[in-house]
Amino acid sequence: MFIPNLLSAESGSESIVKARIIVVEDEPDLREAVAEYLGANGYDVATAENAAAARSLLEAQSFHLAILDIAMPGEDGLSLGRWLRSKTQIGIIYATAAGTALDRIVGLELGADDYIVKPYELREVLARVRSVLRRVPQPAAPQAAKIEAGARRFMNFGGFQADFDGRLVTGANGAVIEMAKSEFDVLEVFLTRANRLLTRAAISEAIGFVEDPESSRAVDIRIMRLRKKIEADPANPKFLRTVRGEGYIFSLPTGESN
């Protein structure tokens, strides 16, 4: 059976952390079904029936991923996700009703890592959870050995520096560029494949998106957000160029690398 875990980023480390997930859903039967199914597949799962209960859990415990229903009484899932994203880089999957494309787009713009449309199959939930968790950085273990500075992977582009191991981007003045985990995922794909044409399908596959009719739109939204953060003129990008009808190219001058 597949045993979900997150391996330490340290070289040679076998430290394993069992992935913890919180399911926030106001429908009791669905909430318990998702929790039971994910638990049976090896995850540590907690549940909350509304945003208030979720906030209490999230402030008291640490989680790797949250599955948030958008349409809940009181505070909705989008608001809860916005609050969560302002405090942590936890993975976020939104659950949205069929036909509400606007909710999905807003969720992605708020920094969600994925979404799932109701009614859904539990196997699809598991596939999306696995996909997102592959991209969630594990918090450093308290007794883990420190990574030597020379072992970290960096890449410079323009006046920016990307720290792949720290999943951090800094500007020319050393200031940290605030970036959602999903945005860094896309940036890393481009930087490690600089000066190559990448289709939307190739980008989706590289970041672990489950095949979905909305996946191309999701990629475009992340690229739009990236341009606002790394381009002096997002409308006329220097780095992240569009090749009409084909995809995107991240232009990096020869010799500029990590």
Side-chain angles (χ1 to χ4, degrees):
M1 182 178 70
F2 175 84
I3 304 297
N5 61 74
L6 301 174
L7 295 179
S8 168
E10 299 167 50
S11 175
S13 172
E14 295 297 330
S15 174
I16 296 177
V17 175
K18 193 173 184 180
R20 289 180 49 75
I21 301 170
I22 181 170
V23 178
V24 188
E25 168 63 59
D26 67 314
E27 297 179 35
D29 291 344
L30 179 58
R31 182 173 68 243
E32 295 309 316
V34 172
E36 182 178 348
Y37 189 77
L38 293 178
N41 279 274
Y43 294 100
D44 187 358
V45 185
T47 63
E49 69 275 15
N50 55 41
R55 283 178 182 256
S56 296
L57 282 172
L58 289 160
E59 288 176 339
Q61 305 175 41
S62 62
F63 293 90
H64 295 92
L65 186 145
I67 301 175
L68 308 179
D69 182 26
I70 289 181
M72 294 187 293
E75 182 182 9
D76 65 20
L78 291 174
S79 174
L80 178 61
R82 186 184 301 110
W83 171 80
L84 196 51
R85 180 58 73 227
S86 72
K87 294 181 174 295
T88 178
Q89 289 302 299
I90 184 175
I92 295 177
I93 298 176
Y94 282 119
T96 180
T100 54
L102 180 60
D103 282 346
R104 298 198 293 274
I105 292 170
V106 171
L108 290 169
E109 290 176 342
L110 291 176
D113 297 283
D114 207 345
Y115 57 84
I116 191 165
V117 179
K118 293 181 174 182
Y120 47 71
E121 294 285 341
L122 292 175
R123 287 178 297 177
E124 182 184 1
V125 177
L126 180 61
R128 291 181 183 275
V129 163
R130 288 175 175 173
S131 174
V132 172
L133 284 175
R134 282 196 294 268
R135 313 194 300 270
V136 173
Q138 177 192 342
Q143 298 181 343
K146 293 183 179 179
I147 299 174
E148 294 297 328
R152 296 183 78 89
R153 298 175 302 130
F154 297 93
M155 180 173 283
N156 297 315
F157 60 102
F160 299 94
Q161 183 179 76
D163 175 355
F164 294 125
D165 296 308
R167 298 182 63 80
L168 193 70
V169 177
T170 52
N173 59 359
V176 174
I177 309 300
E178 294 296 333
M179 195 169 288
K181 176 165 53 57
S182 57
E183 295 165 10
F184 191 92
D185 290 338
V186 174
L187 178 62
E188 183 171 8
V189 168
F190 279 117
L191 288 176
T192 54
R193 299 164 177 79
N195 301 318
R196 289 168 50 187
L197 174 64
L198 298 178
T199 64
R200 290 175 177 82
I203 298 167
S204 294
E205 181 179 356
I207 63 178
F209 268 4
V210 176
E211 187 65 26
D212 188 283
E214 295 283 343
S215 61
S216 292
R217 175 60 175 159
V219 167
D220 290 341
I221 289 173
R222 285 161 169 77
I223 288 173
M224 177 183 68
R225 294 202 309 251
L226 268 177
R227 281 174 171 160
K228 290 179 179 178
K229 296 179 179 181
I230 65 173
E231 300 283 3
D233 181 3
N236 297 285
K238 169 186 174 184
F239 302 115
L240 240 173
R241 298 189 295 108
T242 300
V243 180
R244 189 175 298 278
E246 298 290 338
Y248 298 94
I249 289 179
F250 195 94
S251 297
L252 194 67
T254 304
E256 188 171 358
S257 61
N258 53 326

